[in-house]
Amino acid sequence: MDHDEPLIMAALNVPGAAVAVVRDGETVWSTGYGLASVREGTEVSTDTVFQVGSISKTLTAWGVMHLVETGQISLDAPVESYLTRWAFPPSAYDSSDVTVSRVLSHTAGLNRVDGYPLPGDQPLPSLEDHLDGNNGGGQSLRIDLEPGQQFNYSNAGYTLLQLMMKR
């Protein structure tokens, strides 16, 4: 463990971080900085597990854009046109207006569905279960606002995109 935390961590009030360099699928260097638990005083190590959080949205967006570039999906197509095992619950709004680009930009009118930490011995729910609200205490994904009219952050919108890519 390197105890010389980067200045950026102090400036942004980040208690701990882990950094790794990966080449050709192999970790060639890694280290930890700061604290994994401020309350317990546990230091970050190269084995510390962090919640991935919204970092996964970048990877999901990259995957979606790869499918767009290879002609497998269209940004302007309704997300449901690519799904076979899940559909939006009934709503006052037309689900065909929930396009790939609107989900990517959080303008699809979708509600915010947060994931909740599950006990370590409990398996992760399937993507469909997560979207249906079987996600450790959350609610199901639905269209709450008119698609295309305003920004409304939706974590589960990206789960929906992951299901679309899986299909």
Side-chain angles (χ1 to χ4, degrees), residues 75-79 95-104 108 147 161:
L75 285 173
D76 297 322
V79 172
S95 65
S96 67
D97 290 333
V98 178
T99 63
V100 175
S101 64
R102 287 179 173 160
V103 176
L104 282 169
L161 292 173

Side-chain angles (χ1 to χ4, degrees), residues 32-132:
Y33 299 101
L35 298 175
S37 172
V38 174
R39 181 178 50 234
E40 297 172 13
T42 309
E43 294 183 342
V44 174
S45 74
T46 57
D47 295 321
T48 300
V49 176
F50 289 88
Q51 287 188 342
V52 68
S54 291
I55 292 171
S56 63
K57 287 180 180 66
T58 303
L59 299 173
T60 300
W62 176 85
V64 168
M65 293 311 296
H66 175 73
L67 294 175
V68 170
E69 289 175 351
T70 57
Q72 297 176 65
I73 65 169
S74 168
L75 285 173
D76 297 322
V79 172
E80 278 189 324
S81 68
Y82 299 110
L83 302 177
T84 57
R85 301 184 321 229
W86 191 86
F88 287 106
S91 166
Y93 304 103
D94 187 349
S95 65
S96 67
D97 290 333
V98 178
T99 63
V100 175
S101 64
R102 287 179 173 160
V103 176
L104 282 169
S105 65
H106 299 279
T107 60
L110 304 178
N111 61 323
R112 182 177 181 137
V113 177
D114 293 322
Y116 297 89
L118 299 170
D121 60 346
Q122 187 174 340
L124 291 174
S126 68
L127 296 173
E128 294 90 344
D129 280 345
H130 181 78
L131 294 172
D132 285 337

Side-chain angles (χ1 to χ4, degrees), residues 116-151:
Y116 297 89
L118 299 170
D121 60 346
Q122 187 174 340
L124 291 174
S126 68
L127 296 173
E128 294 90 344
D129 280 345
H130 181 78
L131 294 172
D132 285 337
N134 303 319
N135 50 24
Q139 52 184 292
S140 61
L141 181 65
R142 63 184 184 276
I143 308 168
D144 271 356
L145 304 166
E146 185 175 347
Q149 297 304 304
Q150 67 186 55
F151 178 87

